[in-house]
Amino acid sequence: MSPTLLTPPTAAAVSAPVLGHLRVLEAESIHIMREVAAEFARPVMLYSIGKDSSVLLRLAQKAFHPGPIPFPLLHIDTTYKFREMIEFRDRQAAAVGATLIVHTNTEAIAAGTQPYAVGTQRCCALLKTKALLDALQDGGFDAAFGGARRDEERARAKERVFSLRDPRGQWDPKRQRPELWRLLNGRIAPGESVRVFPLSNWTELDVWHYIEAERIPLVPLYFARERDVLVRGDSLIVPEQSFVPLLPGERTERVMCRMRSLGCSPCSGAIRSGATTVRAIIDELVAVRHSERQLRLIDHDQDGSMEMKKREGYF
Amino acid sequence: MGGLLRICTAGSVDDGKSTLIGRLLYDSRGVYEDQLQSVRAASRNRTAGPIDFSLFTDGLRAEREQGITIDVAYRYFATARRKFILADTPGHEQYTRNMATGASTADVAILLVDARQGIRDQTRRHARIARLLGISTFVLAVNKMDLLDFDESVFAAITADAPESLDGARVQSIPLSALHGDNVITPSDRTPWYEGPPLLPFLEEADAPGFASASPFRFPVQLVIRPDAGFRGYAGQIVSGTISLGDPVTAWPSGTTTRIARIVTWDGDLPRATAPMSVTLVLADDVDVSRGDTLSAGPLHVGRRFAADVVWMDERPLQRGRPYLLKHGTRTVTAWSDDGLSLNQIGRLRVNTGRPIVFEPYALNRSTGSFILIDPASNFTAGAGMIAQPLTDAEREIGGDVAERLARAARAAGTHTAAVEAVRAVLEEVLT
Ligand SMILES: Nc1nc2c(ncn2[C@@H]2O[C@H](COP(=O)(O)OP(=O)(O)O)[C@@H](O)[C@H]2O)c(=O)[nH]1
C-alpha cells in the first residue's frame, strides 16, 4: 500500500490535482455526520472502544469543530469487556469532552448470563442486541452512528449509509431505500430509527492508515506484548473472567500477541504477533490477510450468521 | 493517477459479472482468507469444482439460496496506485433503479458483454442510464472470449456495434475471459492482436472527474456552527471547485456577495480548499445564511420550475400533481410534477417546487443538478432526478403566490390523501 495515500490536508496537498483517498473518505464521513446532526432530533454515537469507534470519534471532532460534538456517546457494556477497554473509554470520553452513556442489561447479568452458561448466541442476544435496543429506546434516539464497514462481511456489502430500522430495531433488506449521489434521506416515521454508518466505504486498511496518519490513540490491547493466555487451537484467550473454564491440564502460557478486534474477553481471541506499532500492524495486515472477524468466535456459529444478527437488530 | 476511483458494473444475468468482480477482488487481494474458506465450503455444498469467484459478490442469504443478486453491493479493492469502490448492480429485476444508484457516484462504468451474444438491448439500456447519470468513461468488457477461441473478428464486430449512446464518451473495449483471467490483471498471450490495456491497468489510469476540482466553486451549507457569540461558521462539503482566502462568494438564494474570511478545519485554518473536502467557512460580512443555502463563485439559477430526467424507483407510480418532498443539496422542499411515471421508468418531467431551489443543469454539475423525490406517506426514496433546464413556460407558469398557496395547502393537510386533494383543488382553481 502506497504511502502517497496519506497526504495530510496541507496547502501543498490541496494544490495537488488529486486528493488522497483517505482525505476523500474523511470528507465523505464528515458530510454524513453533519447531515445526521442537521436532520435528526436525537442522534447518538455507539462507542465500542475499538479502532473503528476511535476513528468515528475523531471524525466527529472534525465535523463539528470548533463546536462540541452535538450528541452523546453510548457504550453497551456487557461487563465482560477487557479492563483496559473500560479505562481507555473513560479517558477518551473525558479528553474529547463528550457525554458518555453506559448501558448494561443488568437483569441478564444478575441472572448469570455468560457465554459458557448460555452459549455465545444467547449471550450476545441478551448482553449486546437487547441491551442496545433497550438503550436506544430509553434514550429516545432516532439515529445511531455505528462504525460498521461494508468490507467487513458479505451481508454488509449491501448495507446503506442510512440503514432504516423498524420500531423493534430490526433490519429488512427488502425495505432499504436507494441512496444516490450524496443525498441521504433522513425521513422516518414515529418509532422508526436509522443506524448510520459513516465508515461504509472504508476498508480495514483505510482505518489503519488513517489511525497512523492522524495519530489516533488506541486501546493498548491492539499492540503486541507478552500476555498470559490460554492457547486453544488458533485462538489465544485472555482469561480475565473467572468463569472461563480451564480444560484438564490447561495452564496459561506467556505469548507475544495482540488483539485484531476488541470485544468481550471470553470470546475475543488474540493472535500471535510481534507488531508493537501501527506501522507494524499495517505491514502484518498486508501480509497476513485474515479477515478481522475470524478470531471473534461469534460469527462462526453458522453460515450467514451476521445477516441474522442484523435482522434481529444487532449491527 | 492515485486517489479514489468509483466504478459501476452492468451486464445481463450470466454474462459473467460476478466472476469478473470476484477475480478482480481475488487478484488484487480484496477477498479475505476466511471469505475464501467459506466460499470454498459453500461451493462444496452445491457442486464440486474449482473456486466459484461469483460467490464473493453474493451477499444476502435469500439471494445465495436463489443463486441471484437483487441489490447494489459495494466492493472495495486497492492496488499500489489507487483505491477502488465498485458498485455491483444486478442486470435483471429492478435494474434501472439499481443501475441508477450505482452510476450516480461512479466515474467509470464497466458494461459486460457475453462475446457469444454480442451487444443486447439490455446493454444499450444500461449504457443509456449510465450516460444519463453523467458517466463519460466506459469499459466494454467483452467476456467469455475463451469460448470463441479468442477470435479477433468477433471482438471487432462487438466493438463496432457499441451503443450509440456512448458517442462522445471515452470507450475502451477489452477482450476478456473472467473465468480464466485473460486481460483482467495482466495482458493475455491468447490475444496477441489486442494492443490495449488489460482491465485493471486501464482502471488504474482512468480519469476520476467525480469531484471536478476544475469546475466553479459550489458549497451547499449543511450546518451553522456557533459554539459561542464570537464564531459563526458554515459547515459543508465543497461539491465542486476550489476556494481561497479572500475569494468573493455569493450566498444563494439571497444573492448577497461577500468574501471568504477563514477556512476552518480541526487540523487548523487552510489558505485554500478544494472539492470534495468538508470544511467550515467563515464569511467576511454578516450575511444571513442557513442550512439549505448554497455558497458559490459566480451565478446560479434560482427557480421553482424546471425540466428534469427522473428515474422512478418506487412501486407506487409518480402521480402528477401529488406533493412529494424534493431533497436537493442540503435543502428539502415540497414539489410536484406535471407528468407521471411508473417503476423503473425514466422520463423527462416538468417539476415545480413550493420554495425556490438554487440549481444548475446536471450536465454542468452532478451535485447542484441532482435531487431525490421522497414519498411523504412512505418516506421511500421514490425518484432520482437530473435537472435539464429551468422552465418558464408562460402559459402554465404558476406565480410565486400560487406556489406558496400550494405548499401551504399541502402542509396544512393532515394526511397525504388530504394533501393531494388540497393541492388538486388549488391547481384546478389556478389553471381553469
Ligand atoms: N467459459 C467462460 N465462462 C465464464 C466466463 N465468465 C463467466 N463464466 C461462466 O458463466 C456463468 C455465469 O457467470 P456469473 O459470473 O455467475 O454471471 P453473472 O450472472 O453475470 O454474475 C458461470 O457458469 C461462469 O463460470 C468466461 O470468461 N469464460
Side-chain angles (χ1 to χ4, degrees):
Chain A
M1 186 63 53
S2 145
T4 61
L5 305 174
L6 302 175
T7 340
T10 59
V14 167
S15 58
V18 182
L19 206 59
H21 89 260
L22 287 179
R23 295 299 153 201
V24 176
L25 293 175
E26 174 188 72
E28 178 181 282
S29 303
I30 290 174
H31 171 83
I32 293 164
M33 288 187 174
R34 289 168 170 175
E35 281 302 282
V36 172
E39 295 205 343
F40 288 85
R42 280 185 67 74
V44 68
M45 178 174 283
L46 295 172
Y47 179 67
S48 69
I49 320 176
K51 65 182 195 306
D52 303 303
S53 280
S54 300
V55 168
L56 271 189
L57 194 57
R58 170 61 54 86
L59 292 168
Q61 286 180 286
K62 291 195 176 196
F64 306 102
H65 175 82
I69 298 175
F71 37 74
L73 311 182
L74 170 63
H75 179 228
I76 301 302
D77 192 354
T78 61
T79 71
Y80 303 140
K81 301 294 174 190
F82 291 95
R83 275 185 294 273
E84 282 176 84
M85 290 171 69
I86 302 302
E87 289 160 20
F88 182 86
R89 174 193 77 191
D90 295 340
R91 239 182 303 130
Q92 278 311 106
V96 303
T99 312
L100 174 70
I101 302 168
V102 177
H103 183 95
T104 298
N105 183 348
T106 46
E107 242 169 69
I109 293 292
T113 304
Q114 46 101 332
Y116 287 91
V118 302
T120 55
Q121 279 203 12
R122 188 158 167 71
C123 189
C124 278
L126 288 169
L127 299 186
K128 288 165 90 169
T129 308
K130 181 167 193 311
L132 173 64
L133 296 176
D134 288 349
L136 292 178
Q137 190 146 40
D138 290 355
F141 298 116
D142 53 359
F145 292 102
R149 290 174 280 108
R150 289 190 186 126
D151 88 318
E152 275 179 80
E153 208 270 348
R154 281 178 300 174
R156 283 185 171 156
K158 303 184 177 193
E159 183 60 285
R160 303 297 195 267
V161 173
F162 277 14
S163 177
L164 186 66
R165 301 304 166 104
D166 69 13
R168 286 156 66 220
Q170 296 183 353
W171 182 68
D172 177 356
K174 295 266 183 319
R175 270 187 75 220
Q176 299 302 304
R177 300 164 178 172
E179 286 179 344
L180 293 97
W181 301 290
R182 63 196 102 183
L183 295 170
L184 297 165
N185 175 358
R187 307 274 307 182
I188 51 171
E192 287 179 343
S193 60
V194 293
R195 303 281 169 85
V196 182
F197 301 117
L199 304 183
S200 285
N201 285 330
W202 297 53
T203 63
E204 186 187 14
L205 263 181
D206 294 331
V207 166
W208 281 111
H209 280 299
Y210 190 73
I211 286 168
E212 182 184 47
E214 294 278 323
R215 298 193 175 82
I216 293 175
L218 288 184
V219 183
L221 286 162
Y222 280 112
F223 301 100
R225 68 172 176 76
E226 291 202 314
R227 295 182 168 89
D228 293 317
V229 296
L230 300 170
V231 180
R232 293 181 174 173
D234 280 344
S235 58
L236 309 174
I237 300 295
V238 182
E240 273 199 10
Q241 297 295 333
S242 56
F243 58 71
V244 173
L246 287 184
L247 305 176
E250 195 176 36
R251 278 190 297 119
T252 58
E253 289 172 42
R254 232 174 146 59
V255 177
M256 187 74 174
C257 63
R258 64 180 192 87
M259 309 298 305
R260 270 202 70 183
S261 63
L262 297 184
C264 299
S265 68
C267 291
S268 302
I271 54 168
R272 287 175 197 271
S273 164
T276 55
T277 61
V278 174
R279 176 45 41 188
I281 289 173
I282 291 172
D283 291 343
E284 191 182 274
L285 261 179
V286 171
V288 174
R289 288 212 301 132
H290 270 247
S291 159
E292 65 197 63
R293 307 198 79 83
Q294 181 161 35
L295 291 149
R296 275 207 213 160
L297 306 178
I298 55 167
D299 283 346
H300 284 266
D301 294 342
Q302 65 190 103
D303 188 32
S305 62
M306 175 60 86
E307 187 182 330
M308 290 182 42
K309 286 203 178 65
K310 279 174 66 71
R311 283 178 191 257
E312 287 157 10
Y314 177 63
F315 262 73
Chain B
M1 286 303 294
L4 183 60
L5 189 80
R6 295 177 204 248
I7 309 166
C8 72
T9 56
S12 306
V13 187
D14 282 345
D15 284 350
K17 187 153 56 71
S18 311
T19 307
L20 179 65
I21 295 170
R23 185 170 278 282
L24 277 176
L25 296 178
Y26 181 74
D27 286 350
S28 63
R29 318 210 147 196
V31 178
Y32 287 123
E33 210 59 63
D34 65 341
Q35 283 186 321
L36 194 57
Q37 274 158 23
S38 76
V39 161
R40 280 198 185 111
S43 300
R44 266 200 300 281
N45 289 343
R46 297 206 296 197
T47 49
I51 302 173
D52 181 352
F53 286 106
S54 68
L55 285 174
F56 295 129
T57 59
D58 269 352
L60 303 178
R61 168 185 292 268
E63 295 173 354
R64 266 205 305 285
E65 280 162 5
Q66 296 161 35
I68 55 163
T69 45
I70 43 181
D71 205 341
V72 187
Y74 292 88
R75 296 284 153 189
Y76 306 86
F77 58 101
T79 66
R81 312 182 56 184
R82 203 174 219 181
K83 166 164 169 136
F84 299 92
I85 299 182
L86 186 149
D88 178 18
T89 61
H92 47 294
E93 200 193 335
Q94 302 287 338
Y95 66 81
T96 305
R97 162 171 125 185
N98 294 326
M99 176 82 208
T101 302
S104 71
T105 48
D107 305 301
V108 174
I110 300 177
L111 299 175
L112 213 74
V113 178
D114 182 331
R116 298 169 302 176
Q117 312 260 358
I119 309 271
R120 289 189 274 181
D121 286 351
Q122 187 149 293
T123 320
R124 296 187 200 282
R125 202 167 151 83
H126 286 150
R128 267 215 319 282
I129 298 169
R131 277 300 265 164
L132 190 68
L133 270 292
I135 296 179
S136 57
T137 304
F138 287 81
V139 175
L140 201 59
V142 182
N143 190 33
K144 305 198 185 182
M145 286 296 292
D146 55 302
L147 297 178
L148 296 166
D149 292 328
F150 294 91
D151 183 341
E152 180 180 9
S153 64
V154 173
F155 176 73
I158 291 174
T159 302
D161 191 33
E164 315 80 73
S165 58
L166 300 187
D167 289 354
R170 160 144 204 232
V171 183
Q172 178 70 51
S173 230
I174 306 180
L176 292 170
S177 169
L179 193 64
H180 300 291
D182 297 80
N183 289 327
V184 178
I185 314 290
T186 49
S188 166
D189 53 18
R190 297 198 277 184
T191 53
W193 42 266
Y194 172 70
E195 291 181 342
L199 179 61
L200 192 63
F202 177 80
L203 296 174
E204 284 183 315
E205 290 296 331
D207 277 343
F211 289 107
S213 52
S215 51
F217 171 74
R218 305 287 185 252
F219 184 84
V221 174
Q222 286 188 279
L223 282 177
V224 182
I225 299 215
R226 269 205 101 166
D228 54 61
F231 186 92
R232 184 181 175 89
Y234 302 104
Q237 186 172 15
I238 303 174
V239 298
S240 62
T242 295
I243 194 80
S244 298
L245 276 185
D247 281 358
V249 287
T250 308
W252 301 95
S254 74
T256 319
T257 293
T258 175
R259 282 179 186 281
I260 299 289
R262 285 178 66 191
I263 302 171
V264 179
T265 76
W266 189 84
D267 300 285
D269 277 22
L270 301 177
R272 195 161 172 244
T274 193
M277 292 169 69
S278 285
V279 294
T280 296
L281 300 177
V282 177
L283 303 178
D285 304 293
D286 193 12
V287 294
D288 184 25
V289 174
S290 52
R291 173 172 168 85
D293 293 353
T294 300
L295 302 176
S296 83
L300 283 171
H301 191 89
V302 181
R304 43 179 131 214
R305 188 164 154 77
F306 50 82
D309 296 310
V310 173
V311 180
W312 200 250
M313 306 183 288
D314 197 353
E315 309 214 329
R316 184 170 173 179
L318 166 68
Q319 274 173 267
R320 42 189 297 234
R322 179 171 176 242
Y324 291 86
L325 294 165
L326 181 150
K327 184 170 182 184
H328 169 264
T330 52
R331 183 179 295 256
T332 304
V333 297
T334 315
W336 61 98
S337 162
D338 294 348
D339 316 276
L341 269 186
S342 50
L343 178 63
N344 287 319
Q345 273 191 326
I346 301 176
R348 172 77 50 106
L349 309 181
R350 292 160 298 170
V351 180
N352 309 276
T353 60
R355 286 196 301 141
I357 61 166
V358 181
F359 64 88
E360 288 172 287
Y362 187 76
L364 289 183
N365 194 307
R366 262 171 132 175
S367 295
T368 51
S370 57
F371 61 87
I372 54 172
L373 290 168
I374 301 167
D375 184 317
S378 66
N379 289 325
F380 192 73
T381 307
M386 291 140 283
I387 298 174
Q389 72 203 55
L391 283 183
T392 46
D393 182 344
E395 280 154 80
R396 293 186 56 100
E397 186 165 29
I398 296 169
D401 49 344
V402 179
E404 279 305 338
R405 270 177 66 197
L406 284 168
R408 259 203 313 280
R411 271 199 301 272
T415 64
H416 86 89
T417 330
V420 173
E421 281 317 307
V423 166
R424 190 170 287 149
V426 176
L427 280 175
E428 251 157 31
E429 193 192 309
V430 173
L431 298 175
T432 54

